[in-house]
Amino acid sequence: MNAVNASGGGEQSLGPTARRMILGSQLRRLREDAGITRQQAGYNIRGSESKISRLELGRVGFKERDVSDLLTMYGVADLEERKAFLEMVKQSNEAGWWRKFGETVPGWFTDLVGLEEAASRIQIWEPLFVSGLLQVEQYARAIFSHGRPEMADERVDQLVALRMRRQKMLARPDAPRIWAVLDESVLYRPIGGPKVFKQQLEYLLEVTTLPHVSVQILPYCRSGLSAEHAFSLLRFAETELPNIAYVEYLTGAHYLDKRDEIEKYGRALDLLAVDAETPERSRARLAKRRQEI
């Protein structure tokens, strides 16, 4: 098995989070092909079975010495193949652009930012707000300040700046396909006040003219029938990366990648798409609501 060349071709947009996951996946396959257990591998690098599990899932950073020892244990002797793996270790440990926001970004959130950078398609269900990837600055500020933007502190400024920086990927030539379903109630929840909310609706009308961005509005009569909480489903062109469902809660988030879990979230999104207005009719609703404000 050859290591993925993560520095060339279509993989140039991969960030450290995605590279870690690819590297971990490849190491897992090498271990399984060699008939070695996680416990045995952990002992070989002075670690535990759980450490190997975290490494193979890409949840923690890699040390070159650990990877080198694992490659030897797994029977990888080819110098060029070993060099490719160790180069991936360096790339996976590079600091993502979000690191500059420091402690403002909770550790459980940084993986999402990295995965968004690598995704080819991001599907979103949002019953309360306009999705973060489609928010204007003042709308985001009203949310992060809990409706008190005049009381916003440096932390709120940083969170807003991070959200705006995340949206830059929409302008990339290889931007991911964004498909968001918003509950109709979002159109009647004037976050930030009438002026800000009207600006937000105008931005939605503008951004949905892009060929890779679609928004559907789910009518009240269908609310909550397919999914009651917000979530995102991230899909990747790279075969080494599993599709991931992201479910956020007040103090953290779940990253789900088991096949049965992904199937359930995928089915929920399919039902939401069927129940919601078409993108064209949804744009008409957005335009009508903007005129009403």
Side-chain angles (χ1 to χ4, degrees), residues 18-192:
R19 295 180 194 275
R20 274 203 322 268
M21 293 176 68
I22 290 174
L23 178 55
S25 175
Q26 292 186 343
L27 289 174
R28 175 181 57 79
R29 291 185 183 181
L30 286 173
R31 177 182 60 76
E32 291 174 346
D33 289 345
I36 295 170
T37 67
R38 288 194 181 96
Q39 185 177 12
Q40 291 170 326
Y43 182 81
N44 187 59
I45 61 169
R46 302 152 297 279
S48 63
E49 179 179 354
S50 62
K51 178 178 180 178
I52 295 298
S53 179
R54 292 193 299 273
L55 286 172
E56 292 180 350
L57 291 171
R59 301 287 166 80
V60 293
F62 292 87
K63 295 180 180 178
E64 287 190 39
R65 184 181 69 174
D66 287 345
V67 173
S68 180
D69 289 346
L70 289 173
L71 291 174
T72 299
M73 186 182 194
Y74 300 160
V76 179
D78 183 82
L79 293 180
E80 287 301 314
E81 190 171 357
R82 292 177 68 92
K83 181 180 178 181
F85 270 105
L86 295 179
E87 180 61 28
M88 282 191 69
V89 172
K90 294 179 181 178
Q91 294 172 348
S92 70
N93 288 329
E94 292 174 354
W97 59 261
W98 52 90
R99 294 284 181 88
K100 71 179 183 180
F101 292 92
E103 295 182 359
T104 300
V105 187
W108 51 264
F109 186 73
T110 56
D111 279 349
L112 175 66
V113 180
L115 291 170
E116 286 177 341
E117 294 279 310
S120 60
R121 183 179 179 88
I122 302 175
Q123 298 168 269
I124 303 163
W125 159 237
E126 180 53 74
L128 294 177
F129 309 112
V130 171
S131 170
L133 288 175
L134 303 175
Q135 291 176 6
V136 296
E137 182 174 343
Q138 293 306 315
Y139 186 95
R141 185 174 299 278
I143 290 175
F144 284 126
S145 64
H146 304 292
R148 302 285 298 278
E150 72 280 0
M151 303 292 288
D153 55 16
E154 183 178 352
R155 180 176 179 276
V156 169
D157 292 340
Q158 288 285 295
L159 289 170
V160 172
L162 171 64
R163 180 154 291 182
M164 297 301 103
R165 174 59 181 82
R166 284 168 59 203
Q167 295 179 9
K168 286 190 175 183
M169 68 178 181
L170 297 181
R172 288 187 344 220
D174 62 341
R177 180 80 168 84
I178 304 296
W179 172 56
V181 180
L182 307 180
D183 190 80
E184 184 178 2
S185 64
V186 173
L187 305 187
Y188 294 90
R189 192 172 291 113
I191 303 295

